[in-house]
Amino acid sequence: MVNGLLIIAITAPDEVPDEAAEICRILDSGEADLVHVRKPGWTYERTRSLIENIPPRLRCRIKVHDHFRLATELGLGGVHLNGRNPLPVERVESVSRSLHDIEQLDSAGLYDYVTLSPIFDSISKKGYMGAFDIADLKGKLTGKKVIALGGVTPDKFITIRDAGFYGAAMLGYFWQQDKIKGNKTI
């Protein structure tokens, strides 16, 4: 946890060079507590191959957004429900969910945590603008494990924490090409 926040890295939807090694580096370095493997266009076999290249000691810190049976087959940390996959296919240790509407927060208690997006203007999805006023969210997050997603960077962690978020999830920040080449600025 950084600044009292659970930090989640979400994989880029496309293939990234040496991706399994980069996932291991992110987890081993403490830059993220968890990694969500989100590969919407990937087959079961391709997703499995990526995860098999991650040592078993780190797999409990990985959640999948697709091909949920991999969670039990490979000893993963759980599944993340979304519009493509709204229900888990079997009982898993941990279930989280994507939310995009403030009214959906009433369901947050049904999950280990939920992501709410987009909080800020997206880094990875050009034109995907923040949909929430941070000041309006204060008080609505109390007692709920809500993870801020969308345009999140470490310089926003204190703002996110002060608004009542439980954590922060980042996709674009982790997978920008200059970061993958070793020019990290954390």
Side-chain angles (χ1 to χ4, degrees), residues 33-99:
D33 300 298
L34 302 171
V35 171
H36 281 211
V37 174
R38 181 184 173 276
K39 301 289 189 181
W42 283 27
T43 64
Y44 166 86
E45 291 80 13
R46 190 172 180 194
T47 306
R48 183 181 180 99
S49 178
L50 170 66
I51 296 168
E52 285 178 329
N53 283 301
I54 297 166
R57 68 178 174 79
L58 294 175
R59 291 182 192 167
C60 63
R61 296 172 58 196
I62 294 175
K63 283 191 165 190
V64 287
H65 287 222
D66 299 283
H67 312 298
F68 290 161
R69 68 182 187 183
L70 289 171
T72 53
E73 290 174 1
L74 298 177
L76 305 182
V79 301
H80 186 81
L81 307 179
N82 53 62
R84 290 182 318 282
N85 301 294
L87 299 170
V89 293
E90 54 189 76
R91 181 71 189 128
V92 291
E93 186 74 21
S94 175
V95 179
S96 54
R97 182 174 191 82
S98 296
L99 303 179

Side-chain angles (χ1 to χ4, degrees), residues 12-163:
D14 299 318
E15 188 167 357
V16 172
D18 300 315
E19 189 165 16
E22 183 63 10
I23 290 170
C24 293
R25 190 200 63 72
I26 288 168
L27 291 171
D28 280 335
S29 71
E31 286 183 67
D33 300 298
L34 302 171
V35 171
H36 281 211
V37 174
R38 181 184 173 276
K39 301 289 189 181
W42 283 27
T43 64
Y44 166 86
E45 291 80 13
R46 190 172 180 194
T47 306
R48 183 181 180 99
S49 178
L50 170 66
I51 296 168
E52 285 178 329
N53 283 301
I54 297 166
R57 68 178 174 79
L58 294 175
R59 291 182 192 167
C60 63
R61 296 172 58 196
I62 294 175
K63 283 191 165 190
V64 287
H65 287 222
D66 299 283
H67 312 298
F68 290 161
R69 68 182 187 183
L70 289 171
T72 53
E73 290 174 1
L74 298 177
L76 305 182
V79 301
H80 186 81
L81 307 179
N82 53 62
R84 290 182 318 282
N85 301 294
L87 299 170
V89 293
E90 54 189 76
R91 181 71 189 128
V92 291
E93 186 74 21
S94 175
V95 179
S96 54
R97 182 174 191 82
S98 296
L99 303 179
H100 301 283
D101 189 312
I102 196 77
E103 283 75 34
Q104 294 175 312
L105 283 178
D106 290 339
S107 69
L110 300 174
Y111 307 98
D112 293 299
Y113 58 84
V114 296
T115 58
L116 182 64
S117 69
I119 301 302
F120 304 105
D121 297 349
S122 178
I123 296 168
S124 61
K125 296 179 183 176
K126 298 300 177 203
Y128 194 52
M129 309 304 282
F132 303 95
D133 181 334
I134 291 285
D136 289 343
L137 291 174
K138 280 190 176 187
K140 295 178 181 171
L141 303 176
T142 304
K144 297 177 175 77
K145 292 183 176 181
V146 181
I147 308 294
L149 173 61
V152 175
T153 53
D155 62 307
K156 295 177 177 129
F157 285 174
I158 292 172
T159 301
I160 289 166
R161 184 199 62 214
D162 291 349

